[in-house]
Amino acid sequence: MAIKLTILKTGETLISDMQELVAKGQEESQGMPNAYLLENPHKVLTRDKNFVTEEEKQQKKYGIDVFMTPWIILSKDKKILLPPDCVMTIVEPIESIKQMFIDKSESKVEEVTND
């Protein structure tokens, strides 16, 4: 798996298993990819912790809460093509966020509809 954080030009931060797609014969050149294939992309949201312990206050260690939600929540698609002109940058996530994504991806959520 190549789990990456993708910062879009819209300001959204996504985490996914990512692959660069390049045209045949272009693999060895240093050109731009033709698209990115995001598998199971999730939007990453952060906010300051609501509750901080006395110890954290004294040591001035304030954490953040991290939330992940499916990027396009109403789609059944798990693989989404992303044009390169939508991307600001791609970075390696810290280990704890990577593990959080892996754990979330491995858990199965059942779809419920009102039919």
Side-chain angles (χ1 to χ4, degrees), residues 74-100:
L74 299 178
S75 175
K76 285 185 176 185
D77 295 338
K78 295 297 180 197
K79 294 183 180 184
I80 298 174
L81 284 175
L82 184 66
D85 62 346
C86 294
V87 175
M88 181 68 74
T89 192
I90 299 167
V91 295
E92 189 73 27
I94 59 175
E95 200 57 43
S96 59
I97 299 303
K98 189 181 219 179
Q99 191 59 51
M100 184 178 175

mmCIF file with all atom_site columns, all heavy atoms in Angstrom, residues 74-100:
data_model
loop_
_atom_site.group_PDB
_atom_site.id
_atom_site.type_symbol
_atom_site.label_atom_id
_atom_site.label_alt_id
_atom_site.label_comp_id
_atom_site.label_asym_id
_atom_site.label_entity_id
_atom_site.label_seq_id
_atom_site.pdbx_PDB_ins_code
_atom_site.Cartn_x
_atom_site.Cartn_y
_atom_site.Cartn_z
_atom_site.occupancy
_atom_site.B_iso_or_equiv
_atom_site.pdbx_formal_charge
_atom_site.auth_seq_id
_atom_site.auth_comp_id
_atom_site.auth_asym_id
_atom_site.auth_atom_id
_atom_site.pdbx_PDB_model_num
ATOM 1   N N   . LEU A 1 74  ? -21.740 9.529  -0.638  1.00 0.00 ? 74  LEU A N   1
ATOM 2   C CA  . LEU A 1 74  ? -22.913 8.910  -1.263  1.00 0.00 ? 74  LEU A CA  1
ATOM 3   C C   . LEU A 1 74  ? -22.565 8.025  -2.460  1.00 0.00 ? 74  LEU A C   1
ATOM 4   O O   . LEU A 1 74  ? -23.458 7.519  -3.130  1.00 0.00 ? 74  LEU A O   1
ATOM 5   C CB  . LEU A 1 74  ? -23.904 9.997  -1.683  1.00 0.00 ? 74  LEU A CB  1
ATOM 6   C CG  . LEU A 1 74  ? -24.450 10.844 -0.525  1.00 0.00 ? 74  LEU A CG  1
ATOM 7   C CD1 . LEU A 1 74  ? -25.383 11.925 -1.056  1.00 0.00 ? 74  LEU A CD1 1
ATOM 8   C CD2 . LEU A 1 74  ? -25.147 9.995  0.509   1.00 0.00 ? 74  LEU A CD2 1
ATOM 9   N N   . SER A 1 75  ? -21.300 7.816  -2.715  1.00 0.00 ? 75  SER A N   1
ATOM 10  C CA  . SER A 1 75  ? -20.880 6.984  -3.847  1.00 0.00 ? 75  SER A CA  1
ATOM 11  C C   . SER A 1 75  ? -20.530 5.572  -3.387  1.00 0.00 ? 75  SER A C   1
ATOM 12  O O   . SER A 1 75  ? -19.958 5.381  -2.312  1.00 0.00 ? 75  SER A O   1
ATOM 13  C CB  . SER A 1 75  ? -19.659 7.607  -4.520  1.00 0.00 ? 75  SER A CB  1
ATOM 14  O OG  . SER A 1 75  ? -19.182 6.753  -5.540  1.00 0.00 ? 75  SER A OG  1
ATOM 15  N N   . LYS A 1 76  ? -20.851 4.592  -4.223  1.00 0.00 ? 76  LYS A N   1
ATOM 16  C CA  . LYS A 1 76  ? -20.448 3.211  -3.962  1.00 0.00 ? 76  LYS A CA  1
ATOM 17  C C   . LYS A 1 76  ? -19.008 2.962  -4.420  1.00 0.00 ? 76  LYS A C   1
ATOM 18  O O   . LYS A 1 76  ? -18.395 1.993  -4.023  1.00 0.00 ? 76  LYS A O   1
ATOM 19  C CB  . LYS A 1 76  ? -21.360 2.237  -4.716  1.00 0.00 ? 76  LYS A CB  1
ATOM 20  C CG  . LYS A 1 76  ? -22.721 2.079  -4.119  1.00 0.00 ? 76  LYS A CG  1
ATOM 21  C CD  . LYS A 1 76  ? -23.487 1.007  -4.873  1.00 0.00 ? 76  LYS A CD  1
ATOM 22  C CE  . LYS A 1 76  ? -24.830 0.754  -4.248  1.00 0.00 ? 76  LYS A CE  1
ATOM 23  N NZ  . LYS A 1 76  ? -25.540 -0.357 -4.903  1.00 0.00 ? 76  LYS A NZ  1
ATOM 24  N N   . ASP A 1 77  ? -18.493 3.843  -5.286  1.00 0.00 ? 77  ASP A N   1
ATOM 25  C CA  . ASP A 1 77  ? -17.151 3.667  -5.840  1.00 0.00 ? 77  ASP A CA  1
ATOM 26  C C   . ASP A 1 77  ? -16.101 3.704  -4.732  1.00 0.00 ? 77  ASP A C   1
ATOM 27  O O   . ASP A 1 77  ? -16.118 4.585  -3.877  1.00 0.00 ? 77  ASP A O   1
ATOM 28  C CB  . ASP A 1 77  ? -16.830 4.757  -6.866  1.00 0.00 ? 77  ASP A CB  1
ATOM 29  C CG  . ASP A 1 77  ? -17.715 4.678  -8.093  1.00 0.00 ? 77  ASP A CG  1
ATOM 30  O OD1 . ASP A 1 77  ? -18.263 3.587  -8.362  1.00 0.00 ? 77  ASP A OD1 1
ATOM 31  O OD2 . ASP A 1 77  ? -17.859 5.704  -8.780  1.00 0.00 ? 77  ASP A OD2 1
ATOM 32  N N   . LYS A 1 78  ? -15.188 2.776  -4.786  1.00 0.00 ? 78  LYS A N   1
ATOM 33  C CA  . LYS A 1 78  ? -14.077 2.741  -3.839  1.00 0.00 ? 78  LYS A CA  1
ATOM 34  C C   . LYS A 1 78  ? -12.781 3.216  -4.495  1.00 0.00 ? 78  LYS A C   1
ATOM 35  O O   . LYS A 1 78  ? -11.815 3.511  -3.806  1.00 0.00 ? 78  LYS A O   1
ATOM 36  C CB  . LYS A 1 78  ? -13.877 1.328  -3.275  1.00 0.00 ? 78  LYS A CB  1
ATOM 37  C CG  . LYS A 1 78  ? -15.051 0.859  -2.440  1.00 0.00 ? 78  LYS A CG  1
ATOM 38  C CD  . LYS A 1 78  ? -15.231 1.717  -1.220  1.00 0.00 ? 78  LYS A CD  1
ATOM 39  C CE  . LYS A 1 78  ? -16.411 1.250  -0.387  1.00 0.00 ? 78  LYS A CE  1
ATOM 40  N NZ  . LYS A 1 78  ? -16.848 2.250  0.556   1.00 0.00 ? 78  LYS A NZ  1
ATOM 41  N N   . LYS A 1 79  ? -12.757 3.270  -5.829  1.00 0.00 ? 79  LYS A N   1
ATOM 42  C CA  . LYS A 1 79  ? -11.591 3.762  -6.566  1.00 0.00 ? 79  LYS A CA  1
ATOM 43  C C   . LYS A 1 79  ? -12.026 4.978  -7.368  1.00 0.00 ? 79  LYS A C   1
ATOM 44  O O   . LYS A 1 79  ? -12.983 4.910  -8.127  1.00 0.00 ? 79  LYS A O   1
ATOM 45  C CB  . LYS A 1 79  ? -11.034 2.687  -7.494  1.00 0.00 ? 79  LYS A CB  1
ATOM 46  C CG  . LYS A 1 79  ? -10.464 1.503  -6.742  1.00 0.00 ? 79  LYS A CG  1
ATOM 47  C CD  . LYS A 1 79  ? -9.862  0.498  -7.681  1.00 0.00 ? 79  LYS A CD  1
ATOM 48  C CE  . LYS A 1 79  ? -9.292  -0.669 -6.880  1.00 0.00 ? 79  LYS A CE  1
ATOM 49  N NZ  . LYS A 1 79  ? -8.607  -1.635 -7.739  1.00 0.00 ? 79  LYS A NZ  1
ATOM 50  N N   . ILE A 1 80  ? -11.301 6.079  -7.174  1.00 0.00 ? 80  ILE A N   1
ATOM 51  C CA  . ILE A 1 80  ? -11.681 7.339  -7.810  1.00 0.00 ? 80  ILE A CA  1
ATOM 52  C C   . ILE A 1 80  ? -10.462 7.923  -8.517  1.00 0.00 ? 80  ILE A C   1
ATOM 53  O O   . ILE A 1 80  ? -9.374  8.012  -7.925  1.00 0.00 ? 80  ILE A O   1
ATOM 54  C CB  . ILE A 1 80  ? -12.230 8.329  -6.763  1.00 0.00 ? 80  ILE A CB  1
ATOM 55  C CG1 . ILE A 1 80  ? -13.484 7.731  -6.121  1.00 0.00 ? 80  ILE A CG1 1
ATOM 56  C CG2 . ILE A 1 80  ? -12.516 9.682  -7.391  1.00 0.00 ? 80  ILE A CG2 1
ATOM 57  C CD1 . ILE A 1 80  ? -14.052 8.519  -4.986  1.00 0.00 ? 80  ILE A CD1 1
ATOM 58  N N   . LEU A 1 81  ? -10.664 8.324  -9.772  1.00 0.00 ? 81  LEU A N   1
ATOM 59  C CA  . LEU A 1 81  ? -9.609  8.988  -10.534 1.00 0.00 ? 81  LEU A CA  1
ATOM 60  C C   . LEU A 1 81  ? -9.602  10.473 -10.192 1.00 0.00 ? 81  LEU A C   1
ATOM 61  O O   . LEU A 1 81  ? -10.656 11.113 -10.150 1.00 0.00 ? 81  LEU A O   1
ATOM 62  C CB  . LEU A 1 81  ? -9.825  8.825  -12.037 1.00 0.00 ? 81  LEU A CB  1
ATOM 63  C CG  . LEU A 1 81  ? -9.488  7.464  -12.621 1.00 0.00 ? 81  LEU A CG  1
ATOM 64  C CD1 . LEU A 1 81  ? -9.860  7.416  -14.099 1.00 0.00 ? 81  LEU A CD1 1
ATOM 65  C CD2 . LEU A 1 81  ? -8.018  7.147  -12.442 1.00 0.00 ? 81  LEU A CD2 1
ATOM 66  N N   . LEU A 1 82  ? -8.416  11.001 -9.977  1.00 0.00 ? 82  LEU A N   1
ATOM 67  C CA  . LEU A 1 82  ? -8.263  12.407 -9.633  1.00 0.00 ? 82  LEU A CA  1
ATOM 68  C C   . LEU A 1 82  ? -7.299  13.049 -10.629 1.00 0.00 ? 82  LEU A C   1
ATOM 69  O O   . LEU A 1 82  ? -6.147  12.612 -10.742 1.00 0.00 ? 82  LEU A O   1
ATOM 70  C CB  . LEU A 1 82  ? -7.716  12.524 -8.205  1.00 0.00 ? 82  LEU A CB  1
ATOM 71  C CG  . LEU A 1 82  ? -7.578  13.908 -7.617  1.00 0.00 ? 82  LEU A CG  1
ATOM 72  C CD1 . LEU A 1 82  ? -8.951  14.540 -7.420  1.00 0.00 ? 82  LEU A CD1 1
ATOM 73  C CD2 . LEU A 1 82  ? -6.843  13.832 -6.299  1.00 0.00 ? 82  LEU A CD2 1
ATOM 74  N N   . PRO A 1 83  ? -7.734  14.080 -11.360 1.00 0.00 ? 83  PRO A N   1
ATOM 75  C CA  . PRO A 1 83  ? -6.836  14.754 -12.297 1.00 0.00 ? 83  PRO A CA  1
ATOM 76  C C   . PRO A 1 83  ? -5.708  15.475 -11.541 1.00 0.00 ? 83  PRO A C   1
ATOM 77  O O   . PRO A 1 83  ? -5.944  16.013 -10.452 1.00 0.00 ? 83  PRO A O   1
ATOM 78  C CB  . PRO A 1 83  ? -7.720  15.780 -13.009 1.00 0.00 ? 83  PRO A CB  1
ATOM 79  C CG  . PRO A 1 83  ? -9.119  15.430 -12.654 1.00 0.00 ? 83  PRO A CG  1
ATOM 80  C CD  . PRO A 1 83  ? -9.082  14.630 -11.390 1.00 0.00 ? 83  PRO A CD  1
ATOM 81  N N   . PRO A 1 84  ? -4.502  15.493 -12.094 1.00 0.00 ? 84  PRO A N   1
ATOM 82  C CA  . PRO A 1 84  ? -3.378  16.115 -11.382 1.00 0.00 ? 84  PRO A CA  1
ATOM 83  C C   . PRO A 1 84  ? -3.543  17.620 -11.163 1.00 0.00 ? 84  PRO A C   1
ATOM 84  O O   . PRO A 1 84  ? -2.978  18.163 -10.222 1.00 0.00 ? 84  PRO A O   1
ATOM 85  C CB  . PRO A 1 84  ? -2.169  15.816 -12.261 1.00 0.00 ? 84  PRO A CB  1
ATOM 86  C CG  . PRO A 1 84  ? -2.676  15.253 -13.513 1.00 0.00 ? 84  PRO A CG  1
ATOM 87  C CD  . PRO A 1 84  ? -4.091  14.863 -13.331 1.00 0.00 ? 84  PRO A CD  1
ATOM 88  N N   . ASP A 1 85  ? -4.342  18.285 -11.983 1.00 0.00 ? 85  ASP A N   1
ATOM 89  C CA  . ASP A 1 85  ? -4.488  19.725 -11.807 1.00 0.00 ? 85  ASP A CA  1
ATOM 90  C C   . ASP A 1 85  ? -5.360  20.092 -10.599 1.00 0.00 ? 85  ASP A C   1
ATOM 91  O O   . ASP A 1 85  ? -5.495  21.262 -10.258 1.00 0.00 ? 85  ASP A O   1
ATOM 92  C CB  . ASP A 1 85  ? -5.004  20.395 -13.078 1.00 0.00 ? 85  ASP A CB  1
ATOM 93  C CG  . ASP A 1 85  ? -6.387  19.917 -13.490 1.00 0.00 ? 85  ASP A CG  1
ATOM 94  O OD1 . ASP A 1 85  ? -6.847  18.890 -12.971 1.00 0.00 ? 85  ASP A OD1 1
ATOM 95  O OD2 . ASP A 1 85  ? -7.001  20.578 -14.345 1.00 0.00 ? 85  ASP A OD2 1
ATOM 96  N N   . CYS A 1 86  ? -5.929  19.102 -9.922  1.00 0.00 ? 86  CYS A N   1
ATOM 97  C CA  . CYS A 1 86  ? -6.708  19.337 -8.692  1.00 0.00 ? 86  CYS A CA  1
ATOM 98  C C   . CYS A 1 86  ? -5.825  19.269 -7.449  1.00 0.00 ? 86  CYS A C   1
ATOM 99  O O   . CYS A 1 86  ? -6.248  19.653 -6.360  1.00 0.00 ? 86  CYS A O   1
ATOM 100 C CB  . CYS A 1 86  ? -7.796  18.278 -8.541  1.00 0.00 ? 86  CYS A CB  1
ATOM 101 S SG  . CYS A 1 86  ? -9.056  18.343 -9.798  1.00 0.00 ? 86  CYS A SG  1
ATOM 102 N N   . VAL A 1 87  ? -4.591  18.790 -7.614  1.00 0.00 ? 87  VAL A N   1
ATOM 103 C CA  . VAL A 1 87  ? -3.724  18.480 -6.480  1.00 0.00 ? 87  VAL A CA  1
ATOM 104 C C   . VAL A 1 87  ? -2.743  19.617 -6.197  1.00 0.00 ? 87  VAL A C   1
ATOM 105 O O   . VAL A 1 87  ? -2.059  20.087 -7.108  1.00 0.00 ? 87  VAL A O   1
ATOM 106 C CB  . VAL A 1 87  ? -2.944  17.174 -6.749  1.00 0.00 ? 87  VAL A CB  1
ATOM 107 C CG1 . VAL A 1 87  ? -1.953  16.881 -5.642  1.00 0.00 ? 87  VAL A CG1 1
ATOM 108 C CG2 . VAL A 1 87  ? -3.909  16.010 -6.935  1.00 0.00 ? 87  VAL A CG2 1
ATOM 109 N N   . MET A 1 88  ? -2.698  20.021 -4.926  1.00 0.00 ? 88  MET A N   1
ATOM 110 C CA  . MET A 1 88  ? -1.709  21.017 -4.495  1.00 0.00 ? 88  MET A CA  1
ATOM 111 C C   . MET A 1 88  ? -0.398  20.312 -4.158  1.00 0.00 ? 88  MET A C   1
ATOM 112 O O   . MET A 1 88  ? 0.657   20.697 -4.614  1.00 0.00 ? 88  MET A O   1
ATOM 113 C CB  . MET A 1 88  ? -2.240  21.779 -3.284  1.00 0.00 ? 88  MET A CB  1
ATOM 114 C CG  . MET A 1 88  ? -1.313  22.842 -2.755  1.00 0.00 ? 88  MET A CG  1
ATOM 115 S SD  . MET A 1 88  ? -1.113  24.222 -3.866  1.00 0.00 ? 88  MET A SD  1
ATOM 116 C CE  . MET A 1 88  ? -2.678  25.021 -3.646  1.00 0.00 ? 88  MET A CE  1
ATOM 117 N N   . THR A 1 89  ? -0.487  19.261 -3.313  1.00 0.00 ? 89  THR A N   1
ATOM 118 C CA  . THR A 1 89  ? 0.705   18.505 -2.939  1.00 0.00 ? 89  THR A CA  1
ATOM 119 C C   . THR A 1 89  ? 0.313   17.132 -2.403  1.00 0.00 ? 89  THR A C   1
ATOM 120 O O   . THR A 1 89  ? -0.838  16.909 -2.018  1.00 0.00 ? 89  THR A O   1
ATOM 121 C CB  . THR A 1 89  ? 1.561   19.272 -1.902  1.00 0.00 ? 89  THR A CB  1
ATOM 122 O OG1 . THR A 1 89  ? 2.828   18.640 -1.780  1.00 0.00 ? 89  THR A OG1 1
ATOM 123 C CG2 . THR A 1 89  ? 0.886   19.319 -0.553  1.00 0.00 ? 89  THR A CG2 1
ATOM 124 N N   . ILE A 1 90  ? 1.286   16.234 -2.368  1.00 0.00 ? 90  ILE A N   1
ATOM 125 C CA  . ILE A 1 90  ? 1.097   14.877 -1.846  1.00 0.00 ? 90  ILE A CA  1
ATOM 126 C C   . ILE A 1 90  ? 2.216   14.626 -0.847  1.00 0.00 ? 90  ILE A C   1
ATOM 127 O O   . ILE A 1 90  ? 3.393   14.875 -1.155  1.00 0.00 ? 90  ILE A O   1
ATOM 128 C CB  . ILE A 1 90  ? 1.156   13.831 -2.981  1.00 0.00 ? 90  ILE A CB  1
ATOM 129 C CG1 . ILE A 1 90  ? 0.046   14.104 -3.988  1.00 0.00 ? 90  ILE A CG1 1
ATOM 130 C CG2 . ILE A 1 90  ? 1.062   12.423 -2.422  1.00 0.00 ? 90  ILE A CG2 1
ATOM 131 C CD1 . ILE A 1 90  ? 0.198   13.345 -5.290  1.00 0.00 ? 90  ILE A CD1 1
ATOM 132 N N   . VAL A 1 91  ? 1.852   14.160 0.350   1.00 0.00 ? 91  VAL A N   1
ATOM 133 C CA  . VAL A 1 91  ? 2.848   13.937 1.396   1.00 0.00 ? 91  VAL A CA  1
ATOM 134 C C   . VAL A 1 91  ? 2.609   12.602 2.089   1.00 0.00 ? 91  VAL A C   1
ATOM 135 O O   . VAL A 1 91  ? 1.548   12.004 1.980   1.00 0.00 ? 91  VAL A O   1
ATOM 136 C CB  . VAL A 1 91  ? 2.835   15.081 2.446   1.00 0.00 ? 91  VAL A CB  1
ATOM 137 C CG1 . VAL A 1 91  ? 3.256   16.395 1.828   1.00 0.00 ? 91  VAL A CG1 1
ATOM 138 C CG2 . VAL A 1 91  ? 1.477   15.206 3.098   1.00 0.00 ? 91  VAL A CG2 1
ATOM 139 N N   . GLU A 1 92  ? 3.624   12.187 2.817   1.00 0.00 ? 92  GLU A N   1
ATOM 140 C CA  . GLU A 1 92  ? 3.569   10.961 3.617   1.00 0.00 ? 92  GLU A CA  1
ATOM 141 C C   . GLU A 1 92  ? 2.908   11.291 4.956   1.00 0.00 ? 92  GLU A C   1
ATOM 142 O O   . GLU A 1 92  ? 3.317   12.222 5.646   1.00 0.00 ? 92  GLU A O   1
ATOM 143 C CB  . GLU A 1 92  ? 4.997   10.460 3.847   1.00 0.00 ? 92  GLU A CB  1
ATOM 144 C CG  . GLU A 1 92  ? 5.099   9.110  4.477   1.00 0.00 ? 92  GLU A CG  1
ATOM 145 C CD  . GLU A 1 92  ? 4.722   7.979  3.544   1.00 0.00 ? 92  GLU A CD  1
ATOM 146 O OE1 . GLU A 1 92  ? 4.860   8.106  2.326   1.00 0.00 ? 92  GLU A OE1 1
ATOM 147 O OE2 . GLU A 1 92  ? 4.278   6.952  4.074   1.00 0.00 ? 92  GLU A OE2 1
ATOM 148 N N   . PRO A 1 93  ? 1.871   10.540 5.367   1.00 0.00 ? 93  PRO A N   1
ATOM 149 C CA  . PRO A 1 93  ? 1.234   10.810 6.667   1.00 0.00 ? 93  PRO A CA  1
ATOM 150 C C   . PRO A 1 93  ? 2.104   10.321 7.816   1.00 0.00 ? 93  PRO A C   1
ATOM 151 O O   . PRO A 1 93  ? 2.933   9.415  7.642   1.00 0.00 ? 93  PRO A O   1
ATOM 152 C CB  . PRO A 1 93  ? -0.070  10.016 6.596   1.00 0.00 ? 93  PRO A CB  1
ATOM 153 C CG  . PRO A 1 93  ? 0.204   8.925  5.626   1.00 0.00 ? 93  PRO A CG  1
ATOM 154 C CD  . PRO A 1 93  ? 1.205   9.462  4.641   1.00 0.00 ? 93  PRO A CD  1
ATOM 155 N N   . ILE A 1 94  ? 1.889   10.917 9.004   1.00 0.00 ? 94  ILE A N   1
ATOM 156 C CA  . ILE A 1 94  ? 2.582   10.399 10.180  1.00 0.00 ? 94  ILE A CA  1
ATOM 157 C C   . ILE A 1 94  ? 2.030   8.999  10.477  1.00 0.00 ? 94  ILE A C   1
ATOM 158 O O   . ILE A 1 94  ? 0.932   8.646  10.056  1.00 0.00 ? 94  ILE A O   1
ATOM 159 C CB  . ILE A 1 94  ? 2.443   11.344 11.389  1.00 0.00 ? 94  ILE A CB  1
ATOM 160 C CG1 . ILE A 1 94  ? 0.974   11.549 11.760  1.00 0.00 ? 94  ILE A CG1 1
ATOM 161 C CG2 . ILE A 1 94  ? 3.153   12.664 11.132  1.00 0.00 ? 94  ILE A CG2 1
ATOM 162 C CD1 . ILE A 1 94  ? 0.773   12.371 13.033  1.00 0.00 ? 94  ILE A CD1 1
ATOM 163 N N   . GLU A 1 95  ? 2.812   8.224  11.190  1.00 0.00 ? 95  GLU A N   1
ATOM 164 C CA  . GLU A 1 95  ? 2.487   6.808  11.390  1.00 0.00 ? 95  GLU A CA  1
ATOM 165 C C   . GLU A 1 95  ? 1.133   6.595  12.071  1.00 0.00 ? 95  GLU A C   1
ATOM 166 O O   . GLU A 1 95  ? 0.387   5.692  11.705  1.00 0.00 ? 95  GLU A O   1
ATOM 167 C CB  . GLU A 1 95  ? 3.600   6.122  12.188  1.00 0.00 ? 95  GLU A CB  1
ATOM 168 C CG  . GLU A 1 95  ? 3.606   4.619  12.044  1.00 0.00 ? 95  GLU A CG  1
ATOM 169 C CD  . GLU A 1 95  ? 3.715   4.124  10.600  1.00 0.00 ? 95  GLU A CD  1
ATOM 170 O OE1 . GLU A 1 95  ? 4.497   4.663  9.817   1.00 0.00 ? 95  GLU A OE1 1
ATOM 171 O OE2 . GLU A 1 95  ? 2.978   3.171  10.262  1.00 0.00 ? 95  GLU A OE2 1
ATOM 172 N N   . SER A 1 96  ? 0.788   7.412  13.064  1.00 0.00 ? 96  SER A N   1
ATOM 173 C CA  . SER A 1 96  ? -0.478  7.216  13.783  1.00 0.00 ? 96  SER A CA  1
ATOM 174 C C   . SER A 1 96  ? -1.686  7.458  12.870  1.00 0.00 ? 96  SER A C   1
ATOM 175 O O   . SER A 1 96  ? -2.697  6.758  12.967  1.00 0.00 ? 96  SER A O   1
ATOM 176 C CB  . SER A 1 96  ? -0.552  8.120  15.009  1.00 0.00 ? 96  SER A CB  1
ATOM 177 O OG  . SER A 1 96  ? -0.451  9.478  14.631  1.00 0.00 ? 96  SER A OG  1
ATOM 178 N N   . ILE A 1 97  ? -1.590  8.409  11.967  1.00 0.00 ? 97  ILE A N   1
ATOM 179 C CA  . ILE A 1 97  ? -2.685  8.697  11.036  1.00 0.00 ? 97  ILE A CA  1
ATOM 180 C C   . ILE A 1 97  ? -2.769  7.597  9.987   1.00 0.00 ? 97  ILE A C   1
ATOM 181 O O   . ILE A 1 97  ? -3.866  7.158  9.613   1.00 0.00 ? 97  ILE A O   1
ATOM 182 C CB  . ILE A 1 97  ? -2.498  10.082 10.377  1.00 0.00 ? 97  ILE A CB  1
ATOM 183 C CG1 . ILE A 1 97  ? -2.497  11.174 11.442  1.00 0.00 ? 97  ILE A CG1 1
ATOM 184 C CG2 . ILE A 1 97  ? -3.547  10.341 9.314   1.00 0.00 ? 97  ILE A CG2 1
ATOM 185 C CD1 . ILE A 1 97  ? -3.736  11.214 12.312  1.00 0.00 ? 97  ILE A CD1 1
ATOM 186 N N   . LYS A 1 98  ? -1.630  7.117  9.540   1.00 0.00 ? 98  LYS A N   1
ATOM 187 C CA  . LYS A 1 98  ? -1.595  5.998  8.592   1.00 0.00 ? 98  LYS A CA  1
ATOM 188 C C   . LYS A 1 98  ? -2.278  4.770  9.205   1.00 0.00 ? 98  LYS A C   1
ATOM 189 O O   . LYS A 1 98  ? -3.112  4.123  8.566   1.00 0.00 ? 98  LYS A O   1
ATOM 190 C CB  . LYS A 1 98  ? -0.139  5.694  8.234   1.00 0.00 ? 98  LYS A CB  1
ATOM 191 C CG  . LYS A 1 98  ? 0.059   4.722  7.121   1.00 0.00 ? 98  LYS A CG  1
ATOM 192 C CD  . LYS A 1 98  ? 1.559   4.522  6.920   1.00 0.00 ? 98  LYS A CD  1
ATOM 193 C CE  . LYS A 1 98  ? 1.884   4.412  5.480   1.00 0.00 ? 98  LYS A CE  1
ATOM 194 N NZ  . LYS A 1 98  ? 3.328   4.240  5.240   1.00 0.00 ? 98  LYS A NZ  1
ATOM 195 N N   . GLN A 1 99  ? -1.947  4.459  10.464  1.00 0.00 ? 99  GLN A N   1
ATOM 196 C CA  . GLN A 1 99  ? -2.539  3.301  11.133  1.00 0.00 ? 99  GLN A CA  1
ATOM 197 C C   . GLN A 1 99  ? -4.035  3.502  11.347  1.00 0.00 ? 99  GLN A C   1
ATOM 198 O O   . GLN A 1 99  ? -4.820  2.566  11.200  1.00 0.00 ? 99  GLN A O   1
ATOM 199 C CB  . GLN A 1 99  ? -1.839  3.030  12.465  1.00 0.00 ? 99  GLN A CB  1
ATOM 200 C CG  . GLN A 1 99  ? -2.230  1.707  13.075  1.00 0.00 ? 99  GLN A CG  1
ATOM 201 C CD  . GLN A 1 99  ? -1.912  0.526  12.184  1.00 0.00 ? 99  GLN A CD  1
ATOM 202 O OE1 . GLN A 1 99  ? -0.794  0.372  11.702  1.00 0.00 ? 99  GLN A OE1 1
ATOM 203 N NE2 . GLN A 1 99  ? -2.903  -0.331 11.946  1.00 0.00 ? 99  GLN A NE2 1
ATOM 204 N N   . MET A 1 100 ? -4.437  4.708  11.664  1.00 0.00 ? 100 MET A N   1
ATOM 205 C CA  . MET A 1 100 ? -5.868  5.011  11.836  1.00 0.00 ? 100 MET A CA  1
ATOM 206 C C   . MET A 1 100 ? -6.622  4.735  10.540  1.00 0.00 ? 100 MET A C   1
ATOM 207 O O   . MET A 1 100 ? -7.711  4.154  10.552  1.00 0.00 ? 100 MET A O   1
ATOM 208 C CB  . MET A 1 100 ? -6.024  6.480  12.249  1.00 0.00 ? 100 MET A CB  1
ATOM 209 C CG  . MET A 1 100 ? -7.417  6.919  12.553  1.00 0.00 ? 100 MET A CG  1
ATOM 210 S SD  . MET A 1 100 ? -7.356  8.664  13.071  1.00 0.00 ? 100 MET A SD  1
ATOM 211 C CE  . MET A 1 100 ? -9.088  9.003  13.232  1.00 0.00 ? 100 MET A CE  1
#
